[in-house]
Amino acid sequence: MAQLFEVHPDNPQVRFLKQAAQILHSGGIAAIPTDSSYALVCHLDDKAAAETLRRIRGVDDKHHLTLLCRDLSELASYARVDNKQYRLLKSATPGAFTFILEATKEVPRRVSHPSRRTIGLRVPDHRVTQELLAIFGQPLLATTLIPPGESEPLNDAQDISARYDKLLQVIIDAGACTMEPTTVVDMTGDEPVLVRRGCGDPACVGLD
């Protein structure tokens, strides 16, 4: 049964976030709010947790998982970017963007794309997510919480609790999120490519 923590969206109770972080460090799976929709998250280095996350989400190893980072200072450990790419990333973070980047060797092979060695990376603009990442102390592995066989992400913690109570260890309720996923931009080539239009304005990275 999942623990449901109701937190204030602008001033989240630290004690609840510390409990959530502890459960994640122990291999738990959590549903957390972001600046797009709710996301499923787990510890990056926990193989069993990553496999469980994929199973709950109903995706295989070809589906890009995303690293939720607190800021771009963590970028160099997980992705290779040049100065031009970094400037584009800086102009759009924090925000509702997922950037597909070339993964470094620090990223476990099981969580990067199996044929391309790429990883999704994003810096969310959400107070609760930012506070949780700060307490957790490292990026979280994440995927949008879209139920298998459906196309719309879930955005209400009570609905998530009703449907996933037995599969998750933590649900953080900070109120409803938007129903729109992130804008996805592929940064692995010479120029950025818009993969999916979502919450983030593509003009932030020079795309229409």
Side-chain angles (χ1 to χ4, degrees):
M1 181 177 288
Q3 292 196 53
L4 179 64
F5 297 124
E6 295 185 2
V7 302
H8 193 280
D10 300 317
N11 189 24
Q13 297 90 322
V14 173
R15 69 183 187 280
F16 290 150
L17 297 185
K18 283 184 175 178
Q19 289 180 62
Q22 192 170 31
I23 293 169
L24 286 164
H25 273 296
S26 300
I29 310 293
I32 67 169
T34 75
D35 51 345
S36 56
S37 60
Y38 269 76
L40 293 174
V41 299
C42 71
H43 197 300
L44 170 63
D45 296 322
D46 191 317
K47 181 180 180 181
E51 289 174 352
T52 300
L53 183 142
R54 286 186 187 277
R55 190 164 59 250
I56 294 171
R57 178 68 168 75
V59 296
D60 60 20
D61 63 355
K62 294 180 178 62
H63 180 84
H64 260 117
L65 297 178
T66 300
L67 295 184
L68 283 184
C69 297
R70 191 179 182 203
D71 56 42
L72 291 180
S73 67
E74 297 173 318
L75 178 67
S77 297
Y78 301 101
R80 294 187 178 90
V81 295
D82 59 26
N83 290 335
K84 179 182 176 183
Q85 290 170 321
Y86 185 83
R87 285 194 297 272
L88 285 174
L89 289 167
K90 194 171 182 181
S91 69
T93 55
F97 289 87
T98 299
F99 297 100
I100 308 302
L101 301 164
E102 184 183 353
T104 67
K105 293 180 180 178
E106 292 296 313
V107 177
R109 185 168 290 276
R110 66 179 176 274
V111 303
S112 61
H113 192 282
S115 59
R116 295 179 63 201
R117 278 298 283 164
T118 53
I119 189 73
L121 184 142
R122 99 178 198 82
V123 180
D125 187 14
H126 193 285
R127 182 66 182 271
V128 174
T129 319
Q130 283 283 340
E131 293 286 333
L132 178 62
L133 287 167
I135 291 168
F136 190 70
Q138 64 186 89
L140 284 164
L141 192 63
T143 184
T144 304
L145 180 42
I146 302 174
E150 299 184 26
S151 59
E152 297 292 331
L154 299 182
N155 79 327
D156 181 83
Q158 298 301 324
D159 184 22
I160 294 167
S161 179
R163 298 176 67 167
Y164 287 93
D165 184 59
K166 292 182 172 63
L167 297 175
L168 304 177
Q169 285 68 54
V170 174
I171 299 169
I172 296 178
D173 182 0
C177 299
T178 68
M179 289 288 285
E180 199 171 6
T182 58
T183 292
V184 179
V185 180
D186 190 332
M187 303 277 282
T188 58
D190 292 335
E191 297 294 334
V193 175
L194 182 64
V195 177
R196 179 182 72 194
R197 187 181 296 271
C199 277
D201 182 0
C204 290
V205 288
L207 297 170
D208 295 323

